[in-house]
Amino acid sequence: MMNQKNNQNHKRDYYEVLGVARQASEEEIKKAYRKMALQFHPDRNPGDKEAEERFKEAAEAYEVLHDPQKRDLYNRFGHEGLQSSGFSGFRGFDDIFSNFSDIFEDFFGFGRRGGQRSGPRPQEGDDLRYDLKVTFMEAAKGKEMEISVPRLEACEECQGTGMEPGTQPEICPTCQGRGQVIQSQGFFRISSTCPSCYGQGRINTHPCRGCQGQGRIEKTKTLNLKIPPGISNGSRLRFRGQGEAGMYGGPAGDLYVVVYVEEHDFFHREGDDVLCAIPISMTQAALGTELEVPTLNGNKKLSLTKGTQHGQIYKFKGEGFPHVRGSGKGDQLIRVEVKIPTHLNKKQEELLRQFEALEKKKGDSKLFKIFS
């Protein structure tokens, strides 16, 4: 409470702010405010903080002095009297332009900052999301495709205005174009959005028959889409201006395509590397062999050295996914899995026992030394 009183004490006298006498008429107050608003308007003083504060200060003074109830309260009790009635000034420029839209139209020919008051304020369209599923190989190679996106587009008949061609919106009779309605309860004045025009200040009395006054109609848009090679699961592709159309001439939103990559039966991806596992027999591991291994670009020969161990990794350099950002590719890593036979016939079992005996005679097998 003490801080609020201090703030009130630092405020300048409203008559001094507008440069008028205490007995000034309503017309003199309006004329003084018009002069200050023209001088300190933010569009005429871009980036000038002092001008912005003077503009807000003048608006607050005019709000009090042009209203008979507020002026009488201020004359008797000053700033503290206004504070006790619930008046706290304006929140910002939009609040000022909204409350004084009719005044600014008389002054400058526009109601809101930087635009003609010919209708509702433009609104940007919503962004859209499209989930796209691609195969593992499509993600690796890239693909061009068409997608169909349902979205709201500007009505061609009214060009997105929502009004029948040749007609104009009319001033809302409820709020007189302010977009706000004010109710007085004793010393309190409560401002709320106009229930008739929803804060726009204008009413569409001749809605377009094509879109029922909405300004947009739902259509399905076919878009050409290029999936870049190497795209990863969960990637988002942004297409500017391909979302839903804006309202009242506002810009369209964006379209976000979220890519989901299906899993592969043989390949697995880690970063831009491709992993796979190949089974070999214990004799192939011991003696070495040459195999045909699938890659993203077809089969490729892999030579296994003698004594290949279970879990050993071989590499095909540059056979992985392309780098989406930059040149080059990842690698393909092949993990060898040695399969031990579980069902041996008598001949196989006899040969393995002979092999075991020979290993023991060599005397240099670390494995047999450990368990002997």
Side-chain angles (χ1 to χ4, degrees):
M1 181 64 72
M2 182 63 69
N3 289 336
Q4 290 180 342
K5 287 184 177 181
N6 289 337
N7 290 336
Q8 294 297 331
N9 292 333
H10 285 101
K11 283 189 176 183
R12 289 203 298 157
D13 179 77
Y14 288 144
Y15 293 98
E16 180 186 344
V17 170
L18 295 181
V20 296
R22 298 188 75 84
Q23 64 271 20
S25 66
E26 182 177 347
E27 186 60 32
E28 289 174 328
I29 291 172
K30 184 175 181 179
K31 184 178 179 180
Y33 175 54
R34 178 182 185 276
K35 182 180 178 181
M36 292 197 68
L38 281 168
Q39 181 180 354
F40 298 112
H41 194 283
D43 287 348
R44 294 189 172 188
N45 303 274
D48 189 337
K49 297 298 182 182
E50 183 179 352
E52 290 179 5
E53 292 304 316
R54 294 290 299 274
F55 183 81
K56 294 175 184 176
E57 186 182 46
E60 183 176 324
Y62 178 75
E63 169 65 8
V64 171
L65 298 184
H66 93 287
D67 183 299
Q69 264 191 323
K70 285 196 182 100
R71 185 176 181 180
D72 180 65
L73 186 63
Y74 176 72
N75 286 340
R76 288 191 293 162
F77 304 108
H79 292 296
E80 290 186 14
L82 290 171
Q83 181 187 358
S84 63
S85 71
F87 178 76
S88 59
F90 297 101
R91 294 184 297 272
F93 290 128
D94 287 343
D95 197 14
I96 295 172
F97 291 125
S98 176
N99 277 273
F100 296 156
S101 56
D102 55 339
I103 297 295
F104 278 91
E105 185 168 347
D106 292 338
F107 287 178
F108 316 115
F110 56 84
R112 289 185 171 88
R113 180 179 177 182
Q116 297 294 321
R117 275 195 74 210
S118 57
R121 180 182 298 178
Q123 299 175 14
E124 185 176 358
D126 291 333
D127 294 335
L128 294 177
R129 170 177 172 148
Y130 186 94
D131 292 339
L132 178 67
K133 185 177 288 186
V134 299
T135 66
F136 191 90
M137 296 304 294
E138 288 172 341
K141 300 289 187 179
K143 185 177 181 180
E144 293 188 16
M145 61 180 69
E146 289 185 346
I147 60 174
S148 296
V149 182
R151 66 182 186 182
L152 292 174
E153 297 187 0
C155 174
E156 295 179 356
E157 293 188 28
C158 66
Q159 301 299 311
T161 65
M163 299 176 291
E164 277 293 311
T167 65
Q168 292 291 331
E170 297 181 2
I171 294 176
C172 174
T174 303
C175 65
Q176 300 301 313
R178 292 176 181 267
Q180 300 284 319
V181 291
I182 300 176
Q183 296 177 331
S184 298
Q185 297 180 1
F187 288 137
F188 293 93
R189 285 166 61 85
I190 302 173
S191 177
S192 59
T193 301
C194 176
S196 299
C197 66
Y198 304 104
Q200 301 296 343
R202 295 290 188 270
I203 291 180
N204 182 5
T205 55
H206 300 87
C208 171
R209 286 169 288 185
C211 62
Q212 309 303 314
Q214 298 301 310
R216 301 183 297 180
I217 55 177
E218 186 167 336
K219 287 187 175 182
T220 299
K221 176 71 173 181
T222 300
L223 299 172
N224 294 319
L225 184 66
K226 185 174 183 180
I227 302 296
I231 195 166
S232 58
N233 185 54
S235 295
R236 294 197 315 170
L237 303 176
R238 182 182 184 184
F239 297 88
R240 294 184 180 275
Q242 294 299 334
E244 293 192 335
M247 295 283 287
Y248 314 119
D254 299 329
L255 171 66
Y256 291 90
V257 177
V258 182
V259 179
Y260 294 94
V261 181
E262 296 177 339
E263 293 185 0
H264 196 275
D265 293 335
F266 181 69
F267 296 118
H268 175 69
R269 181 177 182 178
E270 286 188 7
D272 287 334
D273 291 336
V274 173
L275 282 64
C276 65
I278 56 169
I280 62 172
S281 67
M282 63 180 189
T283 53
Q284 288 176 313
L287 300 175
T289 188
E290 193 173 82
L291 302 173
E292 289 278 337
V293 177
T295 72
L296 298 179
N297 302 300
N299 290 348
K300 189 174 180 178
K301 289 184 178 180
L302 174 65
S303 296
L304 301 182
T305 58
K306 292 181 179 181
T308 293
Q309 301 298 304
H310 177 79
Q312 189 170 333
I313 303 295
Y314 286 84
K315 179 190 293 186
F316 286 155
K317 191 170 181 59
E319 291 292 339
F321 272 66
H323 301 319
V324 175
R325 295 178 179 84
S327 59
K329 295 182 178 182
D331 302 322
Q332 179 170 334
L333 306 177
I334 304 102
R335 183 176 186 272
V336 174
E337 295 183 347
V338 180
K339 299 299 181 181
I340 306 300
T342 55
H343 300 287
L344 299 173
N345 57 34
K346 290 184 178 180
K347 181 63 174 178
Q348 290 171 323
E349 187 174 339
E350 180 183 344
L351 290 173
L352 285 177
R353 292 191 184 282
Q354 292 177 9
F355 176 76
E356 181 183 20
L358 290 172
E359 284 293 296
K360 286 182 178 180
K361 286 182 179 180
K362 284 168 60 176
D364 58 352
S365 172
K366 293 182 180 179
L367 178 64
F368 288 108
K369 285 181 180 178
I370 293 171
F371 293 100
S372 60

